[in-house]
Amino acid sequence: MSTQQKNEITQFGYELIRDHVLSSILGKNEEDILYWCGKDLARKFPLYGLDEAVAFFKEAGWGDLTIDKVSACEAFCSLTGDPEILKFDQRCFRLEAGFLAQHQQQCCGFLTECYEEKKPKQSIVKFHIKWDLKDKVEG
C-alpha cells in the first residue's frame, strides 16, 4: 500500500468521525462541545506562540492556517486547504476556534475568545481571536 493510499484511508477515517459520528453523538450541542474540546486540546498540546499553531494545524490535518494580522488585543487568521477534505460548506470549525482561543489565552495570560466565519464559496474560514487586557487569568 502506498503512502498516498494510507493517507487517504486515514483521512477517510478522520472524516467519518469528525463529520458523522461526532455530530450524531453531540446533536444540537455539537458547536459548543467542540469549542470546549478545542480548548482542552490546547491545554494538552501547549504551544509557545501563534506561529506554532500554523505547524500544529498542518500536522493535525486541520488545513493551512495563516496569521493575517496581530494587534495588542486581537489577531486574525485564515484557514484554507483542499475543499474536498475540509468541507467548508458542511463542517463546523468550532474545534479549531476553541483551540486558537485557549492557545492564545495561555500565551498572553488574558481571557480570550475566538469566533469563526465560514466563507465556503472562497474555501476559507476566517478566525477572529480577541483577548481582554482587563481580564487577567491565573495559571
Side-chain angles (χ1 to χ4, degrees):
M1 184 177 295
S2 73
T3 303
Q4 183 178 359
Q5 288 173 322
K6 288 180 184 176
N7 286 341
E8 288 174 9
I9 292 169
T10 303
Q11 186 64 39
F12 177 65
Y14 174 77
E15 288 176 15
L16 283 174
I17 292 169
R18 174 82 188 253
D19 299 331
H20 302 285
V21 174
L22 282 178
S23 62
S24 293
I25 293 170
L26 302 176
K28 66 179 183 172
N29 299 311
E30 177 182 12
E31 291 187 7
D32 291 335
I33 293 171
L34 286 177
Y35 187 81
W36 291 102
C37 286
K39 290 177 83 73
D40 186 57
L41 278 174
R43 289 183 202 101
K44 292 177 180 169
F45 297 92
L47 306 174
Y48 298 102
L50 198 51
D51 290 342
E52 288 187 21
V54 173
F56 184 90
F57 269 59
K58 188 75 160 172
E59 184 70 24
W62 289 355
D64 300 315
L65 185 71
T66 56
I67 302 165
D68 301 327
K69 181 181 174 187
V70 179
S71 70
C73 62
E74 63 186 353
F76 297 89
C77 299
S78 299
L79 181 65
T80 58
D82 183 345
E84 292 295 316
I85 294 173
L86 294 181
K87 303 179 187 255
F88 291 101
D89 56 337
Q90 301 168 20
R91 182 173 290 165
C92 158
F93 290 89
R94 298 297 289 160
L95 180 74
E96 295 85 345
F99 182 87
L100 288 169
Q102 184 63 35
H103 162 66
Q104 183 59 33
Q105 182 170 304
Q106 290 171 189
C107 288
C108 72
F110 296 101
L111 185 62
T112 305
E113 292 294 328
C114 181
Y115 306 95
E116 80 282 355
E117 179 184 0
K118 294 191 316 184
K119 298 184 178 225
K121 289 183 180 179
Q122 299 160 325
S123 299
I124 194 167
V125 178
K126 295 284 192 173
F127 293 102
H128 181 193
I129 309 163
K130 186 152 181 61
W131 50 99
D132 185 349
L133 297 174
K134 297 177 205 155
D135 200 350
K136 188 93 169 134
V137 292
E138 299 298 320

